[in-house]
Amino acid sequence: MPWVDACAVDDVDEEDVVRWDHGERTYAIYRSLNNEFYCTDGLCTHEQVHLSGGLVMDYEIECPKHNGLFDYRSGKALRAPVCEDLRTYETKVENGRVMVLV
Amino acid sequence: MSKSTAPIGSELAVRDYSLTGDSTRQAIENGLSAAEWYHSEVPRKKLKSLMKRRDAPAIRDTVIWIALHFVFAAGGLYFWGSWLCVPFWFAYGVVYGSACDSRWHECGHGTAFRTRWMNDVVYHIASFQIMRNPVNWRWSHARHHTDTLIVGRDPEIAWMHPISLVLKALAFVGIVETWTSLKVLMRNAMGNLSQEERDYIPESQWPKAVFWAWVHIAVYAAVLVVSLVLFVSGAGWKSLIPILLIGGPRVYGCWHFVMTGLLQHGGLAENVLDHRLNSRTLYMNPISRWIYWNMNYHIEHHMFPMVPYYALPELHELIKDDLPPPNTSIWDGYKEMMGSVMKQRVDPNHAMRKTLPRTARPYLEHLHRAVPERNTGLEISDRGGT
């Protein structure tokens, strides 16, 4: 599994999320209030809605369609209607770029 | 201002509103289920600020709401035996039996409070008041947002064809609905979920549905026992007080939530993928808006369900030029809706369709005429992501 250059650090606002497409898959990249970066699968496990339109609060991402909630650090599903956890991916920052291990 | 046409997606010969019948199969085959919906453009930064959660507005409103329960109940009890108690019970009925609907709704979305447990506590109180199994209805409402007014998919369609005006009128006094709700809770408490409930509730949640049904039934049974004990003790009409306080307002106080709820989608189109065609935004008086927690901005709510109730007026101002003109009052909304409903009683394919302002993007008819296949992955984003 290679490290892949996903985006610039500045592409993601603090406490926000952006979409990143790579290969055949789509991902969500998060930036916390503490300037940490995280990556999960992009689509909600409930009904295939992209999480990049959602709301980031602290370390949680809320799905824009049904308000299901995940901890984006662990991918853990926190509130119905999501029951299935999100897959997460390691990230690191190098030279102002967010790298994701996919 | 408005005209009538039948959106192609709604032209069904026979409507089967069950969630496991022919209409369900057709909706899935036609790509109307879990489809892409139109939404007005809102810049991401602005949307983020609108979605931002705060505890303060909902704490303020909840403190007022709870306080009103006590004040009106105290007035009803103080003036018991005189006609003066009637307005107090009337008001108590509305804050219990109608305001609970909007609290149930907003806290179910998790948008009222920033703090999660506050949403959960109010959600459960309001679910109890409105006699809804809090598990079942959380999932049915998720489906309502996925497949709004899609026949065979949406379990919360209020105006099902053929429309019975008698049943709709009876809904304002809640007797039929209360009896139905109690039967569902009893059935659930006995561990029995219907085929439809099993369709929209994941299996992992079924034990929770049974547990909460038990809790609701146990409280209602206790209220009934207290009332009977009072009656046997010779309390006379006073033995009704426990029921007037708990459970009864679902009957005598529900009229306001029924009045506002019927307006949400009444007379509008089924089987379309543009909320401007199947939902209604209208202006109403501030008391009704407080009871209803701003759900009169219903198109806005369906387009952006993450925006809390207290930010909906601002969202409305932002996108109103892309929406049909709002009705000017509850009365105006009813005139429009009932005109369309009466036509729908003759022709279920009829649906009213408002003329959009010049500033609006046109209704996206192609979304429900030829829905592209919805797959996971990149193809979704190519059509606009969320």
Side-chain angles (χ1 to χ4, degrees), chain A residues 13 16 19 47-48 50 66, chain B residues 44-45 146 376 381 386:
Chain A
D13 289 342
D16 204 1
R19 178 186 180 123
E47 283 199 350
Q48 307 286 323
H50 209 288
H66 302 100
Chain B
R44 172 75 184 164
K45 278 191 189 303
T146 303
T376 58
S381 68
T386 60

Side-chain angles (χ1 to χ4, degrees), chain A residues 4-46:
Chain A
V4 179
D5 184 338
C7 61
V9 165
D10 293 339
D11 289 343
V12 196
D13 289 342
E14 279 185 11
E15 205 173 32
D16 204 1
V17 55
V18 295
R19 178 186 180 123
W20 174 52
D21 297 328
H22 176 68
E24 296 297 313
R25 299 187 65 88
T26 184
Y27 305 85
I29 295 178
Y30 309 85
R31 182 175 183 171
S32 74
L33 269 177
N34 299 319
N35 282 321
E36 304 149 305
F37 288 84
Y38 297 88
C39 180
T40 70
D41 272 340
L43 298 174
C44 178
T45 56
H46 172 225

Side-chain angles (χ1 to χ4, degrees), chain A residues 60-78:
Chain A
E60 295 169 356
I61 172 70
E62 188 176 294
C63 172
K65 186 76 175 177
H66 302 100
N67 309 88
L69 205 61
F70 299 95
D71 183 324
Y72 58 76
R73 296 170 298 181
S74 62
K76 187 173 174 51
L78 298 174

Side-chain angles (χ1 to χ4, degrees), chain B residues 143 191-203 206:
Chain B
R143 177 70 72 79
N192 185 357
L193 273 71
S194 70
Q195 193 64 39
E196 301 203 338
E197 287 163 345
R198 288 165 191 261
D199 180 60
Y200 61 76
I201 306 170
E203 193 169 352
W206 294 354

Side-chain angles (χ1 to χ4, degrees), chain B residues 163-293:
Chain B
I163 292 167
S164 165
L165 292 181
V166 174
L167 279 178
K168 280 286 162 282
L170 277 176
F172 284 79
V173 285
I175 294 170
V176 176
E177 282 74 14
T178 300
W179 178 241
T180 305
S181 296
L182 286 172
K183 281 197 298 185
V184 170
L185 287 167
M186 284 293 289
R187 179 169 51 74
N188 290 165
M190 288 188 287
N192 185 357
L193 273 71
S194 70
Q195 193 64 39
E196 301 203 338
E197 287 163 345
R198 288 165 191 261
D199 180 60
Y200 61 76
I201 306 170
E203 193 169 352
S204 64
Q205 305 295 303
W206 294 354
K208 288 183 188 171
V210 174
F211 170 77
W212 283 108
W214 258 109
V215 172
H216 285 204
I217 290 295
V219 177
Y220 288 124
V223 170
L224 200 59
V225 167
V226 172
S227 186
L228 284 171
V229 168
L230 285 171
F231 184 73
V232 171
S233 310
W237 288 106
K238 281 190 177 177
S239 58
L240 284 176
I241 286 175
I243 297 171
L244 285 174
L245 286 170
I246 300 172
R250 175 62 184 83
V251 175
Y252 71 84
C254 72
W255 62 272
H256 190 280
F257 101 72
V258 174
M259 176 183 73
T260 50
L262 289 176
L263 284 165
Q264 292 175 352
H265 307 284
L268 297 165
E270 294 172 333
N271 293 340
V272 295
L273 298 177
D274 187 334
H275 288 113
R276 299 175 299 176
L277 285 166
N278 71 7
S279 305
R280 176 179 285 106
T281 282
L282 70 159
Y283 299 134
M284 58 179 61
N285 67 79
I287 294 173
S288 287
R289 270 181 52 198
W290 184 83
I291 294 169
Y292 195 28
W293 263 8

